[in-house]
Amino acid sequence: MKFSKSSPLKNRISYFFLSIIFISVIAFAWFMDESFGSGLEKSAKLRLISEYNGYAREYEKDTSTPFKNSYVISFYFDELPDIWVEGIEVFDGFKLDDGEFEAVFVNELLLESEDYEPIYVVYTNKLHDGRQLYVVAIYDFALVGDDFDALQVSQISFVLSVVFSYLILTILALWYYSNIIGKKTSHLVSWAEETSNNFVEKDIPNFKFNEFNRVADCLVSSLKNNARLIDQEKRFLAHASHELRTPIAIIKANLEIFEKIEVSDPAKRPLMRLERASANMQLITETLLWLARQSECKPTESWVDFPHLLTQLIDEQKYLIQGEDVQVITEFDEVDSQLVPLSPLMIVLNNLIRNAFQYTHNGWIKISFKDNRILIENYDTDKVDEPSVDGFGLGLELTQRICKKLDWKLGIHFQEKGVLATLYLP
């Protein structure tokens, strides 16, 4: 199975948490800025409410209590004063219900003004005798400009110091944690690759994280099961193949007896089929025995004339299409003999050719040898089912295993009404 190129786990974790960090930093900076403005507004509101409550208490004792105005706070009975700024009345059309608090930004009224204009903050409520009292605070930037700018700079410096401290601490923590994960992940990957390529039952290393240890445990359990199944398969193939040799030898011995005696013509064809079936069974048995061997050494190599070998194998399998409307097409390049493992090659080619002949009943079979490639293609016009590897015989399974063991490249392409097999010679 092929996987698309992907990034390491520690990189993905780092990118994910860095994104969260930067989002949280932006959110924190915005929240601090909003909190600063909200704090100023709440401070002004509490100041006006406290001024109102203080005067209301004194007024309840003595209705002639005078206002205690200051440079910032002013008191007004019943209605707001007329205040003009550059030809605009600040409180024109201004309405405020009892207990409400409102701020008037003069800059918003003067659209073309670039200077900081005063901000008027108003609070109103009824006194005990029903009179309306307005408390107005005037925040003039001309009076507090430098101090306000210093306060803003201090606030920004505080926010930046908190942000940078948070960034540094979280990045260091992330680097430390991702470094640990990266090391353990690399250790797990290296150990898994080494164990998969050369499995030896031994203690599993401690990868520190429970999930990694569980993955390693699952891998070892899977490799143990695979090793056990492979060992069982090899023992089964070896035992089964050896057991099959006895009946095959008996069949061949009896066939040789029939060859020495005179038999009737109707009996000759069944005997020929029996002889071919015996030869095929012997070939499969030899294949199973060879695949079950523990040794990885290649079989003995021999010089092979491919056109001659292919012609011989085709003639041996033509009995499978007797009585069928099948055309056999051959195209062979004339080349010099090549040195190849003859026995496995004959097993592979015999299986591919036999499968092509066996599963074609009306159509054509094309076998060609070109550019050091052997192509075997069959086309059955009567085939209506979807192509399936399950219906292509045990020979295909054996052929693929032989090619894999010898590092030969075999391509099997299932087409609409047949199969194209391509063997690339080494």
Side-chain angles (χ1 to χ4, degrees), residues 29-49:
W30 175 85
F31 175 76
M32 291 296 293
D33 182 66
E34 291 294 317
S35 297
F36 179 69
S38 176
L40 292 177
E41 183 178 337
K42 290 179 180 179
S43 175
K45 183 176 182 179
L46 290 174
R47 172 72 186 280
L48 292 182
I49 292 175

Side-chain angles (χ1 to χ4, degrees), residues 173-189:
L174 176 61
W175 172 83
Y176 175 75
Y177 190 69
S178 63
N179 190 45
I180 293 177
I181 293 179
K183 286 183 178 179
K184 294 302 177 183
T185 304
S186 299
H187 185 197
L188 175 62
V189 171

